[in-house]
């Protein structure tokens, strides 16, 4: 990734930016990169510099000025053992505003943190952590907006199913096309300017942010590499200008709004069964949402004290971009208590006629809470209604969907106490919905209820866990400096401080993989699988990584053994994970062209999951396998495979799953004989 910066000036500031890019290879808190994003960046990395050069500066923004001399020495940046005073924060802010050398100040602080990690990197000393959070904030303020646009857009171009790498390359070679491509993912008002992020903030807003230690910490703990920083800063600035007197009183709420509304809303929100034009949206009204929740909090009309919640919890409160009138309607009409809020799901009468005729898309002209309450609906409408009403009453909520014995279903989850989520409100036990999938509003990516539970349990509230995350940030910085020994030491410290911090385990795995320490990586992944034995998602991740290592080494015996471990370990409680592993096995056998052997393995999998697989088994095993055989000209084997699965799964007549089998059978019947 360093090649993208080869044309930049060889100044300390730009060298620091480049070194931070190198630091992305491990997953530190705040700058965590998902595997999907990493893959996207590497595929299109050679095009990043082209995209940067093609994004024009806004007409009203002056060109970037040459780097100014380093700011005068600030003792608070060079020492880490004493809490920052208001005077320290004021001096840092004013120095940055006067010089613009945000990155140089960040580097000074970074070096002090690295030098003092043994003396001050302790759970009981908050002075070290607050400087770490400030270091991140200073670094962000110094980032060039066009640079951030390039890093934000390119992975999404790769992930967009309508765009191929070839199309992106072709488009990037045409004048002005980069701007058009970027607009797919960036609102016009957030389009990047050729200037540091700090210039997007009014001086008084920037001062209010840097002087508020709680807000800086919330941002440092919450902002991820998948956030669009110019959008984050725009929301922060707007909120301060709109409500300067209450802005600092709700730091977690401010941070949550900034990381959720930094990028455009997906076109399929709230779900694919509701035409978005019928939804009373008001996406850009984060000021209105801030007013609604702060006013309701001050008048004690919410079911939860939102000032006690963190930003990573509140993002599930403020993520419905609706007209404020929707929340007002819910607060007036829905009076269920916090302990019985799951009852709201059944307030919506189930529309049997829609379900019976297969009318799964919302048929009315508007999708307001009042209309849903009056007209009734199916499970997706019940879940949406309950989730939005929960938010209006001050409860973080999620909309879930999943596959059960007879097909798909929707339900909702909510934060029942300050520390406990309920994940199954409206979930039907007899259908065996193994996993529910929601959306993380910070990046609009899918997240399942088991993953959510692992990152919202009580361990994440402990000082040890948060300090472990701080060590991960410093490990990223050490890695950026090319110091592998310190990086490994810090990662080990993060693991030792909080052994249940999954981010630390994944960061170490990423570091060992990047530094090609294969044997240590295998040992680490084995230890990770043992550590998270009772958390299937994490254990399966560790085993699957071992599968990839064995596959790269050509060790087919180890590959088969590990895949069978995944299948057997998850067969009863997490059949979705077992089915995913089984799908991988089938894919490999089909690729070899041994169709009879693949069919035998297919039947074994169907027998194993016949009582629990349901929709997951159909969509991940049956349908792909049958279509693959059909495409290969194995028509009879494809029909036999479909018939075998239908006889074992026995979907209820008229159910969603029954209809899916019927559609696939029709496809096969149309095949040439």
């Amino acid at each position: 990734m360093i090649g993208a910066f080869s044309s930049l000036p060889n100044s300390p500031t730009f060298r620091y930016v480049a070194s931070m890019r190198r630091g992305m290879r491990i997953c530190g808190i705040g700058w965590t990169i998902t595997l999907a994003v990493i893959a996207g960046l590497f595929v299109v990395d050679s095009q990043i510099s082209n995209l940067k050069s093609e994004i024009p500066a806004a007409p009203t923004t002056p060109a970037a000025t040459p780097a100014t001399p380093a700011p005068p020495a600030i003792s608070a940046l060079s020492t880490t053992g004493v809490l920052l005073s208001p005077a320290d924060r004021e001096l840092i802010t004013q120095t940055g505003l006067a010089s613009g050398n945000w990155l140089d100040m960040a580097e000074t602080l970074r070096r002090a943190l690295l030098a003092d990690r043994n003396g001050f990197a302790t759970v009981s000393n908050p002075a070290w952590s607050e400087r770490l959070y400030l270091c991140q904030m200073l670094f962000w303020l110094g980032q060039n907006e066009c640079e951030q646009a390039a890093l934000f857009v390119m992975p999404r171009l790769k992930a967009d199913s309508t765009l191929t790498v070839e199309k992106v390359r072709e488009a990037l070679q045409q004048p002005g096309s980069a701007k058009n491509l970027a607009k797919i993912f960036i609102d016009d008002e957030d389009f990047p300017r050729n200037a540091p992020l700090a210039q997007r903030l009014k001086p008084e807003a920037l001062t209010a942010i840097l002087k508020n230690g709680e807000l800086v910490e919330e941002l440092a703990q919450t902002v991820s590499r998948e956030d669009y920083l110019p959008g984050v800063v725009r929301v922060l600035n707007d909120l301060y200008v709109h409500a300067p007197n209450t802005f600092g009183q709700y730091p977690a709420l401010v941070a949550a709004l900034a990381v959720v509304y930094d990028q455009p809303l997906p076109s399929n929100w709230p779900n694919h069964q509701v035409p978005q034009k019928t939804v009373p949206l008001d996406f850009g009204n984060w000021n209105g949402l801030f007013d609604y929740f702060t006013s309701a909090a001050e008048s004690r009309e919410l079911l939860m004290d939102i000032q006690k919640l963190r930003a990573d919890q509140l993002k599930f409160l403020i993520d419905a971009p609706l007209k404020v009138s929707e929340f007002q309607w819910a607060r007036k009409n829905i009076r269920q208590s916090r302990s019985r809020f799951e009852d709201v799901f059944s307030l919506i009468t189930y529309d049997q006629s829609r379900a019976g005729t297969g009318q799964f898309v919302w048929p009315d002209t508007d999708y307001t809470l009042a209309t849903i309450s009056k007209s009734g609906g199916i499970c997706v409408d019940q879940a949406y209604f309950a989730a939005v009403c929960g938010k209006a009453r001050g409860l973080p909520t999620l909309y879930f969907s999943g596959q059960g014995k007879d097909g798909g279903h929707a339900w909702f989850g909510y934060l029942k106490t300050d520390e406990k989520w309920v994940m199954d409100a409206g979930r039907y036990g007899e259908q065996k919905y193994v996993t529910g999938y929601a959306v993380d509003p910070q990046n609009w990516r899918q997240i399942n209820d088991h993953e959510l539970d692992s990152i919202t349990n009580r361990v994440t509230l402990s000082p040890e866990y948060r300090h472990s995350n701080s060590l991960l940030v410093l490990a990223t910085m050490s890695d950026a400096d090319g110091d592998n020994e310190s990086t490994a030491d810090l990662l080990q410290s993060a693991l030792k401080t909080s052994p249940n911090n999954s981010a630390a385990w994944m960061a170490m795995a990423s570091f060992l993989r990047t530094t090609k320490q294969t044997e240590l990586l295998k040992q680490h992944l084995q230890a990770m699988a043992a550590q998270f034995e009772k958390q299937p998602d994490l254990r399966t991740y560790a085993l699957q990584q071992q599968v990839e290592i064995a596959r790269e080494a050509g060790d087919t015996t180890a590959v088969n053994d590990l895949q069978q471990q995944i299948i057997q370990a998850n067969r009863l409680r997490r059949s979705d994970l077992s089915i995913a592993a089984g799908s991988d096995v089938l894919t490999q056998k089909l690729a070899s062209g041994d169709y009879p052997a693949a069919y035998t393995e297919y039947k074994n999998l169907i027998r194993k999951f016949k009582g629990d697989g349901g929709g997951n088994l159909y969509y991940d095993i049956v349908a792909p396998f049958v279509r693959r055989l059909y495409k290969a000209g194995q028509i009879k084997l494809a029909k036999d495979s479909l018939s075998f699965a239908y006889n074992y799964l026995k979907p209820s007549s008229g159910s969603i799953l029954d209809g899916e089998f019927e559609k696939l059978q029709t496809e096969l019947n149309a095949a040439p004989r």
Side-chain angles (χ1 to χ4, degrees):
M1 297 179 66
I2 305 304
F5 296 87
S6 58
S7 62
L8 296 176
N10 190 29
S11 68
T13 295
F14 283 114
R15 287 201 303 272
Y16 177 55
V17 173
S19 71
M20 289 301 290
R21 293 292 178 270
R22 290 197 299 273
M24 289 178 188
R25 69 186 183 187
I26 64 173
C27 302
I29 189 69
W31 283 91
T32 299
I33 310 176
T34 64
L35 294 177
V37 173
I38 291 175
L41 281 172
F42 275 103
V43 169
V44 295
D45 184 54
S46 62
Q47 304 298 331
I48 289 181
S49 56
N50 290 340
L51 177 59
K52 288 191 302 178
S53 65
E54 288 192 35
I55 297 179
T60 57
T61 303
T65 56
T68 55
I74 301 175
S75 60
L77 294 178
S78 302
T79 58
T80 61
V82 182
L83 285 170
L84 291 167
S85 67
D88 291 332
R89 290 182 178 275
E90 178 70 22
L91 178 59
I92 292 168
T93 303
Q94 295 307 317
T95 301
L97 286 170
S99 69
N101 277 325
W102 302 104
L103 291 178
D104 289 315
M105 290 196 296
E107 184 168 12
T108 299
L109 190 48
R110 176 178 71 95
R111 292 186 183 280
L113 288 163
L114 285 170
D116 291 352
R117 68 178 182 273
N118 292 325
F120 300 104
T122 62
V123 175
S124 59
N125 193 334
W128 186 87
S129 293
E130 75 166 354
R131 280 173 171 77
L132 179 59
Y133 303 142
L134 178 62
C135 181
Q136 283 187 280
M137 195 72 210
L138 296 175
F139 173 72
W140 291 333
L141 291 172
Q143 293 300 293
N144 181 276
E145 290 192 17
C146 292
E147 176 70 30
Q148 288 302 307
L151 293 172
F152 177 79
V153 169
M154 293 306 291
R156 286 157 178 79
L157 294 178
K158 174 64 176 67
D160 192 309
S161 60
T162 65
L163 293 171
T164 64
V165 175
E166 290 72 22
K167 287 182 180 179
V168 174
R169 286 200 188 105
E170 182 181 349
L172 286 171
Q173 293 169 359
Q174 300 173 13
S177 61
K179 182 173 182 177
N180 294 329
L181 286 170
K183 281 187 175 181
I184 299 172
F185 307 101
I186 301 173
D187 286 333
D188 286 344
E189 292 186 44
D190 283 335
F191 206 76
R193 299 171 290 186
N194 188 25
L197 278 167
Q199 292 189 19
R200 191 175 276 260
L201 287 161
K202 290 183 176 295
E204 54 269 31
L206 193 153
T207 301
I209 292 169
L210 290 182
K211 292 177 70 173
N212 190 323
E214 289 184 55
L215 177 56
V216 171
E217 178 177 352
E218 287 290 348
L219 289 168
Q221 289 278 352
T222 309
V223 173
S224 79
R225 190 60 207 168
E226 293 186 74
D227 283 304
Y228 179 58
L229 283 181
V232 170
V233 172
R234 176 194 173 197
V235 175
L236 291 173
N237 189 72
D238 283 359
L239 288 172
Y240 175 80
V241 171
H242 173 73
N245 295 327
T246 52
F247 177 85
Q249 299 173 30
Y250 292 87
L253 180 63
V254 167
L257 287 164
V259 300
V260 168
Y261 292 103
D262 61 318
Q263 50 193 282
L265 185 71
S267 60
N268 62 349
W269 192 92
N271 62 70
H272 68 282
Q273 291 174 228
V274 177
Q276 197 171 80
K277 64 182 180 181
T278 66
V279 183
L281 292 175
D282 193 5
F283 180 76
N285 190 22
W286 40 79
N287 290 335
L289 289 173
F290 182 80
D291 288 345
Y292 172 82
F293 285 109
T294 55
S295 174
E298 295 296 332
S299 59
R300 300 183 182 277
E301 295 184 70
L302 300 178
L303 293 175
M304 186 173 284
D305 184 353
I306 62 173
Q307 287 185 298
K308 292 183 179 180
L309 301 180
R310 306 185 310 270
D312 60 358
Q313 295 170 310
L314 288 174
K315 68 182 182 180
F316 297 108
L317 174 74
I318 51 80
D319 59 331
L322 303 169
K323 293 180 179 178
V324 171
S325 57
E326 287 291 277
F327 299 108
Q328 293 169 336
W329 183 94
R331 206 169 81 200
K332 177 181 178 181
N333 292 280
I334 304 302
R335 306 306 301 172
Q336 272 69 13
S337 67
R338 182 175 172 181
S339 62
R340 296 300 304 273
F341 206 80
E342 57 264 33
D343 294 345
V344 176
F345 184 90
S346 58
L347 290 180
I348 302 304
T349 303
Y350 192 83
D351 191 338
Q352 295 287 354
S353 62
R354 276 183 60 193
T357 58
Q359 190 178 28
F360 300 120
V361 176
W362 178 253
D364 217 323
T365 56
D366 73 89
Y367 200 62
T368 62
L369 297 177
T371 300
I372 298 171
S373 178
K374 178 181 178 181
S375 302
I378 55 178
C379 60
V380 292
D381 311 309
Q382 293 172 308
Y384 170 85
F385 181 89
V388 172
C389 288
K391 298 177 195 298
R393 297 294 309 281
L395 300 177
T397 64
L398 296 108
Y399 169 98
F400 282 113
S401 61
Q403 292 295 326
K405 180 178 179 294
D406 286 325
H409 179 54
W411 61 94
F412 83 108
Y414 71 100
L415 190 61
K416 190 169 186 175
T417 71
D418 291 352
E419 299 178 0
K420 180 177 176 57
W421 282 84
V422 171
M423 302 294 190
D424 56 358
R427 192 174 186 165
Y428 304 146
E430 70 276 5
Q431 280 289 317
K432 298 184 179 180
Y433 295 101
V434 177
T435 301
Y437 293 94
V439 169
D440 183 345
Q442 187 168 350
N443 50 37
W444 303 111
R445 295 185 187 275
Q446 194 177 74
I447 181 173
N448 68 47
D449 51 358
H450 306 289
E451 291 169 331
L452 182 67
D453 185 56
S454 70
I455 62 176
T456 57
N457 60 31
R458 295 182 64 179
V459 69
T460 64
L461 302 176
S462 70
E464 290 79 11
Y465 184 88
R466 292 176 77 83
H467 184 65
S468 176
N469 283 339
S470 296
L471 291 171
L472 290 183
V473 175
L474 190 55
T476 303
M477 295 177 180
S478 180
D479 183 59
D481 209 31
D483 186 352
N484 286 347
E485 183 178 351
S486 294
T487 301
D489 179 56
L490 286 161
L491 290 172
Q492 288 286 6
S493 296
L495 286 168
K496 183 177 180 181
T497 301
S498 181
N500 289 319
N501 186 353
S502 59
W505 286 91
M506 291 184 178
M508 177 62 89
S510 180
F511 173 74
L512 294 173
R513 187 181 301 107
T514 303
T515 53
K516 302 186 185 306
Q517 301 181 63
T518 305
E519 287 304 314
L520 287 177
L521 175 59
K522 288 166 64 175
Q523 295 172 24
H524 174 74
L525 291 170
Q526 290 166 2
M528 182 179 179
Q531 174 68 29
F532 296 105
E533 183 178 7
K534 295 183 179 180
Q535 293 177 258
D537 288 285
L538 293 171
R539 183 175 186 273
T540 299
Y541 166 84
L543 290 173
Q544 189 60 46
Q545 292 301 303
Q546 294 177 61
V547 169
E548 296 307 318
I549 293 172
R551 186 171 286 155
E552 290 173 5
D555 189 345
T556 56
T557 300
V559 169
N560 292 333
D561 289 346
L562 288 164
Q563 287 176 327
Q564 290 305 316
Q565 280 188 52
I566 296 173
I567 292 172
Q568 292 300 326
N570 298 301
R571 187 171 64 86
L572 297 179
R573 292 183 176 273
R574 288 298 306 279
S575 60
D576 59 314
L577 296 175
S578 290
I579 288 169
S583 176
D584 189 30
V585 172
L586 278 182
T587 298
Q588 297 300 316
K589 289 190 178 297
L590 285 170
S592 71
D594 189 348
Y595 298 114
Y599 182 53
T600 299
E601 182 65 31
Y602 168 84
K603 290 190 292 183
N604 289 336
L605 289 170
I606 298 298
R607 292 188 185 102
K608 283 180 181 177
F609 302 115
K610 65 177 182 179
D612 304 300
N616 284 323
L617 186 59
Y618 175 82
Y619 292 113
D620 292 348
I621 297 287
V622 177
F625 184 75
V626 169
R627 289 195 171 101
R628 185 75 177 268
L629 290 174
Y630 173 87
K631 187 175 181 180
Q634 302 289 320
I635 307 301
K636 182 179 184 305
L637 201 55
K639 291 182 177 181
D640 290 345
S641 299
L642 184 63
S643 177
F644 183 86
Y646 187 86
N647 291 332
Y648 261 89
L649 293 179
K650 295 182 172 60
S652 300
S653 178
S655 67
I656 294 175
L657 190 57
D658 187 49
E660 292 295 321
F661 268 102
E662 186 176 341
K663 290 178 185 177
L664 188 51
Q665 184 66 60
T666 301
E667 286 183 37
L668 296 182
N669 290 339
R673 297 182 182 277

